[in-house]
Amino acid sequence: MLMMMVIPGHVIFAYALHLLRGSSTELSNPFFLPIYVSAAFIQVTILIYSGSVLVRLLWRMGADPDNSAIPLLTALGDLLGSLLLALAFYCFYSLVVAQ
């Protein structure tokens, strides 16, 4: 269910940002949105898998997964989000500016 919400959620977010910021966003270029949504999809995929593995590992170690997994997954989500967004902008500028 979470995977099915990634694409519509980010498209709605990007469209709302475009409405609020006007034409000063990168959404005026047709290449940016697919790259951005792909990065978001990769992030959520990695986080869901990591969460599943981490909760099982913490459970076996005797730690409470509620208290231990949430901070680790939040930190991983921040790191992945920053890295993938930077990679998305790099790919976008490589496609658009390099041409």
Side-chain angles (χ1 to χ4, degrees):
M1 188 61 142
L2 288 173
M3 297 303 290
M4 292 182 349
M5 293 173 50
V6 172
I7 294 173
H10 280 277
V11 169
I12 290 169
F13 171 74
Y15 183 67
L17 181 65
H18 182 68
L19 288 177
L20 292 173
R21 298 285 299 177
S23 62
S24 64
T25 60
E26 299 294 344
L27 291 176
S28 56
N29 191 303
F31 289 114
F32 182 71
L33 191 60
I35 294 171
Y36 169 72
V37 170
S38 298
F41 192 81
I42 291 168
Q43 179 189 14
V44 172
T45 303
I46 292 171
L47 283 174
I48 288 174
Y49 179 73
S50 298
S52 174
V53 170
L54 185 62
V55 166
R56 284 190 221 129
L57 179 69
L58 289 170
W59 192 261
R60 285 186 190 146
M61 292 173 54
D64 182 16
D66 289 335
N67 293 332
S68 303
I70 291 173
L72 293 171
L73 287 174
T74 302
L76 180 63
D78 290 343
L79 178 66
L80 278 175
S82 298
L83 290 175
L84 288 170
L85 188 60
L87 183 64
F89 275 114
Y90 177 76
C91 292
F92 172 70
Y93 284 113
S94 295
L95 284 172
V96 174
V97 177
Q99 292 180 358

